[in-house]
Amino acid sequence: MKGIVSLGALVTILSCSSAQAQDANAPDTLLMVKLPTVNVNAERKWANDTVRYQYNQTRYYITTILPYLNAATKLFNELDAKVNDPNTNRKERKAFVSSKEDELRDKFENEVKNLNETQGVLLVKLVARQTGVNIYSMLGEFKNPFTAVKWQAWARFNGFNLNKRYTPADEPMLEHIMEDLGYPLPAVYGEMERTALRNQDVKYPKR
């Protein structure tokens, strides 16, 4: 609320200054003022205690997997650059993928094994969000079709589908939490997807 009051006061001051200049028969002046972006978050009521618990639990799980999400996103960007490098042949690409897989395994294998199913599902969804690609296709491209089918079966058993692109409007709770944690929707998503997300009336308060 303080941000709104300060912004309103500034606009009032500028308006008064403009009026005084006109009364003094001064020449017309165009004022150019660049104001900082102000985010105002109002407290909202939860629909019920179940929604409150689900939101807080999901937020906690996401904070625990952020190191793996960041590492996976970085790895994807490196793999994508390598795959699209015209100077890299298929053998070199497979060797690069294997080396990066070993690197991740050495660094995170023990921690990832301790994730529960909900955290695993969230990690896969958020990797899809951050990369903007179809995870099933990614597995088939970087690994092999058998691996893609195996993980698709796991995903379907846990209630989601790897063989489709992440849709922000289908995950309003995740989007609220990720935005609040400093992970805005990546640039790969188009304006239509952003508009669909903005038009949703969901009662998840930001902190």
Side-chain angles (χ1 to χ4, degrees), residues 52 78 174 193:
R52 184 206 304 269
E78 292 176 352
L174 287 187
E193 291 169 302

Side-chain angles (χ1 to χ4, degrees), residues 4-18 31 33 35:
I4 293 179
V5 172
S6 300
L7 183 59
L10 181 56
V11 171
T12 301
I13 291 170
L14 291 176
S15 298
C16 290
S17 299
S18 178
L31 298 176
V33 180
L35 299 175

Side-chain angles (χ1 to χ4, degrees), residues 43-88:
E43 185 67 25
R44 300 179 187 175
K45 292 183 179 180
W46 297 99
N48 52 59
D49 288 341
T50 300
V51 174
R52 184 206 304 269
Y53 174 81
Q54 184 183 7
Y55 183 95
N56 289 333
Q57 187 70 25
T58 302
R59 182 186 172 91
Y60 169 74
Y61 280 153
I62 289 176
T63 60
T64 64
I65 64 173
L66 282 180
Y68 319 128
L69 174 62
N70 292 336
T73 304
K74 180 175 180 290
L75 174 62
F76 169 79
N77 291 333
E78 292 176 352
L79 292 174
D80 191 52
K82 196 72 172 178
V83 167
N84 290 300
D85 183 353
N87 297 317
T88 302

Side-chain angles (χ1 to χ4, degrees), residues 5-196:
V5 172
S6 300
L7 183 59
L10 181 56
V11 171
T12 301
I13 291 170
L14 291 176
S15 298
C16 290
S17 299
S18 178
Q20 290 172 356
Q22 290 177 5
D23 289 343
N25 295 320
D28 291 341
T29 302
L30 180 63
L31 298 176
M32 300 294 292
V33 180
K34 185 176 181 180
L35 299 175
T37 301
V38 178
N39 293 321
V40 180
N41 299 320
E43 185 67 25
R44 300 179 187 175
K45 292 183 179 180
W46 297 99
N48 52 59
D49 288 341
T50 300
V51 174
R52 184 206 304 269
Y53 174 81
Q54 184 183 7
Y55 183 95
N56 289 333
Q57 187 70 25
T58 302
R59 182 186 172 91
Y60 169 74
Y61 280 153
I62 289 176
T63 60
T64 64
I65 64 173
L66 282 180
Y68 319 128
L69 174 62
N70 292 336
T73 304
K74 180 175 180 290
L75 174 62
F76 169 79
N77 291 333
E78 292 176 352
L79 292 174
D80 191 52
K82 196 72 172 178
V83 167
N84 290 300
D85 183 353
N87 297 317
T88 302
N89 60 40
R90 183 176 181 82
K91 184 177 179 180
E92 291 173 331
R93 184 180 67 179
K94 291 190 69 173
F96 183 79
V97 170
S98 296
S99 68
K100 287 297 180 179
E101 187 176 23
D102 290 341
E103 180 183 321
L104 275 185
R105 184 180 291 109
D106 292 341
K107 190 173 182 179
F108 293 118
E109 184 173 26
N110 291 333
E111 291 90 340
V112 171
K113 281 183 177 178
N114 291 327
L115 297 180
N116 60 35
E117 286 190 3
T118 301
Q119 289 169 306
V121 169
L122 285 172
L123 180 57
V124 173
K125 281 188 178 183
L126 292 178
V127 168
R129 177 190 191 266
Q130 295 303 107
T131 60
V133 302
N134 178 309
I135 294 291
Y136 183 86
S137 298
M138 186 194 302
L139 287 170
E141 176 70 19
F142 292 151
K143 294 293 292 180
N144 56 66
F146 175 76
T147 299
V149 171
K150 181 182 71 173
W151 283 106
Q152 171 69 340
W154 172 83
R156 298 297 281 176
F157 180 78
N158 284 281
F160 69 106
N161 184 5
L162 293 180
N163 196 19
K164 67 177 229 180
R165 189 168 179 263
Y166 177 85
T167 305
D170 291 345
E171 302 287 351
M173 181 178 289
L174 287 187
E175 287 304 315
H176 275 78
I177 294 171
M178 291 298 285
E179 287 275 354
D180 201 27
L181 291 174
Y183 288 77
L185 194 63
V188 294
Y189 295 93
E191 188 56 36
M192 289 183 63
E193 291 169 302
R194 295 174 186 277
T195 300

